[in-house]
Amino acid sequence: MLRGHWVAMLLLCLVVAGVFAWLGQWQLERAIETDPPAPGATEQVRPLDEVVEPGEYLPEPLVGQRVETEGVWIPGDFLVVGSRFNDGAEGYWVTGQLRVDERVSLAVAIGWAPDREAADAAVERLEAEADGGVVPVAGRIISDEGPAVPPRSDPEQMDRMSPAALLSRWHDTEQLDVYRPYLASTTATAGLVDIASPAPDEQSPVNWLNVFYAAEWVIFAGFAFYLWYRLAKDAWECEVEEFDEAQGSAAP
């Protein structure tokens, strides 16, 4: 181990272990949230434009944040989304395009219906009441669920709440900015049932996945030294074996 090339190998292992230790520290710094949101922060109603901007992803601490805004319903864009559960019962959401600013729209889940007939009746009522007046809307802002391929039996069916999928069926969308998340209204209209939307669980300030990654880098750093020791020992054992064989051949 004191030979020159093994000392050089040890120095190389020190460099490698140092890099691994730095990566472990980097992961550990990101494992602990130094400025976590205050308990109950999502229950404080905030203006929509203070929480997220059009086209931006919703930051994780703000998923489920209660927000308020106002806008105009766009006629012809009240669409039904299936596979929606409300307190354990499966049904439908009626959604609409809310024009919150000039050329800026937000997808809104207006309310829940227990069957498709009730959802279609609510759509007809909403279409009749969409007179171009400004309406206030409040609810929870939630991340896009992502689009899904509709079944071949019904290409118009939607079972995911995705503003991107809704956008493809909306009208007057040229040069339109759209919010990536959607708003689940807390107060239903048009005879629909209020959407059950409990407060999100309080998140731990510790990201245990990052802690696990940090521990892995520490193990890798220790393995670098073990590898140096194992290689040096193997070389020594080979020399001892060759020496013993040479002694055995010289004895006769």
Side-chain angles (χ1 to χ4, degrees):
M1 291 181 177
L2 296 178
R3 293 175 184 172
H5 63 283
W6 286 112
V7 172
M9 182 68 73
L10 176 60
L11 293 176
L12 177 61
C13 290
L14 284 170
V15 173
V16 172
V19 173
F20 288 164
W22 176 81
L23 290 171
Q25 182 182 4
W26 178 78
Q27 287 283 3
L28 196 60
E29 288 176 353
R30 282 149 184 77
I32 302 176
E33 179 62 53
T34 57
D35 187 21
T42 59
E43 303 310 290
Q44 300 175 6
V45 181
R46 299 171 57 184
L48 174 65
D49 55 6
E50 289 185 3
V51 176
V52 65
E53 294 292 332
E56 293 185 354
Y57 288 100
L58 183 64
E60 185 174 352
L62 297 176
V63 174
Q65 174 69 47
R66 296 186 64 183
V67 299
E68 60 183 3
T69 187
E70 61 181 16
V72 177
W73 294 118
I74 303 300
D77 289 343
F78 295 104
L79 303 172
V80 177
V81 177
S83 299
R84 301 290 97 183
F85 288 86
N86 219 45
D87 292 329
E90 185 174 3
Y92 298 84
W93 278 358
V94 175
T95 70
Q97 178 190 172
L98 185 69
R99 189 64 55 85
V100 297
D101 202 350
E102 184 176 358
R103 312 312 301 164
V104 179
S105 286
L106 170 70
V108 178
I110 302 170
W112 181 85
D115 51 55
R116 186 58 190 255
E117 291 74 16
D120 291 339
V123 168
E124 294 181 3
R125 182 172 172 181
L126 287 166
E127 292 286 359
E129 296 175 351
D131 56 3
V134 177
V135 294
V137 178
R140 295 190 186 278
I141 194 74
I142 303 174
S143 298
D144 182 355
E145 295 179 3
V149 178
R152 292 184 178 181
S153 58
D154 186 3
E156 297 298 317
Q157 179 177 334
M158 290 188 295
D159 293 329
R160 303 289 294 274
M161 186 59 187
S162 170
L166 294 173
L167 175 63
S168 66
R169 306 189 186 191
W170 284 350
H171 301 85
D172 188 24
T173 58
E174 185 177 355
Q175 296 183 345
L176 181 69
D177 287 333
V178 178
Y179 284 88
R180 286 183 179 271
Y182 67 90
L183 187 144
S185 176
T186 53
T187 305
T189 59
L192 295 167
V193 179
D194 292 347
I195 296 173
S197 183
D201 296 333
E202 296 290 343
Q203 296 183 354
S204 170
V206 178
N207 186 327
W208 292 105
L209 183 60
N210 278 2
V211 172
F212 174 75
Y213 288 152
E216 279 190 333
W217 286 119
V218 173
I219 294 173
F220 293 158
F223 182 76
F225 291 108
Y226 172 77
L227 182 63
W228 170 78
Y229 164 77
R230 185 69 256 181
L231 291 175
K233 185 176 180 181
D234 287 347
W236 172 73
E237 289 178 345
C238 287
E239 291 185 7
V240 170
E241 184 177 351
E242 291 174 357
F243 176 78
D244 290 343
E245 289 179 356
Q247 290 291 96
S249 299

